[in-house]
Amino acid sequence: MFRKMTIAAVVLASAMIFSACSSIEVGSTLNNMKLTSSETPASVAHINADVWGIYLFNLPLFSGSTNQPGRCAVFSDTVRMDKVVSMITKKAANDFEATAVTDMTSNRTTVWIPIFLVLWYNDIQVSGNAIR
């Protein structure tokens, strides 16, 4: 029984290590709808960024890369609010030439992984509306 649980834990850990730990998604089909109540700025997109990682207590083992979404960073603490907000504002400025990101919201999750006893899962999601 212990051997099966150990193998399952190793497979789960390997899958998490080799999967993308960060992502940024954009909804830009707005059907002529405004994302703000103001008439002046043009709404261009809604952007959602997600970065997660596995930590040994407070020491990062691997986490999502905020410089290259879709990749993992090893031993780098990137599951931080300032890093994820930077992802969104960079995407809005570079891809959509947005001058502002409005209605920004965030969600932070920290969960202890009981099967490993000393590992924690941290996650931050931030979303906002890009306007110009």
Side-chain angles (χ1 to χ4, degrees):
M1 179 70 174
F2 180 72
R3 183 172 183 215
K4 288 181 182 180
M5 287 180 57
T6 304
I7 291 172
V10 168
V11 169
L12 178 65
S14 298
M16 288 172 41
I17 288 172
F18 294 111
S19 66
C21 303
S22 64
S23 65
I24 191 159
E25 296 182 23
V26 176
S28 59
T29 305
L30 303 177
N31 298 314
N32 295 322
M33 299 296 292
K34 294 273 188 192
L35 296 175
T36 63
S37 59
S38 174
E39 293 296 322
T40 307
S43 301
V44 290
H46 179 78
I47 304 171
N48 184 340
D50 182 30
V51 179
W52 62 271
I54 301 296
Y55 287 72
L56 175 66
F57 297 111
N58 285 333
L59 303 171
L61 298 179
F62 65 92
S63 57
S65 172
T66 54
N67 293 330
Q68 297 175 318
R71 297 193 177 259
C72 284
V74 180
F75 305 120
S76 181
D77 187 15
T78 58
V79 185
R80 296 185 3 219
M81 191 63 65
D82 60 331
K83 299 275 190 178
V84 184
V85 168
S86 175
M87 277 177 62
I88 284 191
T89 54
K90 182 177 179 182
K91 181 78 167 178
N94 292 345
D95 292 3
F96 298 101
E97 298 174 357
T99 57
V101 177
T102 62
D103 301 322
M104 194 174 290
T105 61
S106 64
N107 183 26
R108 180 175 184 88
T109 304
T110 300
V111 177
W112 173 55
I113 304 173
I115 193 168
F116 294 111
L117 300 177
V118 294
L119 296 182
W120 294 80
Y121 166 84
N122 292 341
D123 179 59
I124 293 180
Q125 291 186 10
V126 177
S127 65
N129 300 324
I131 59 172
R132 65 177 119 128

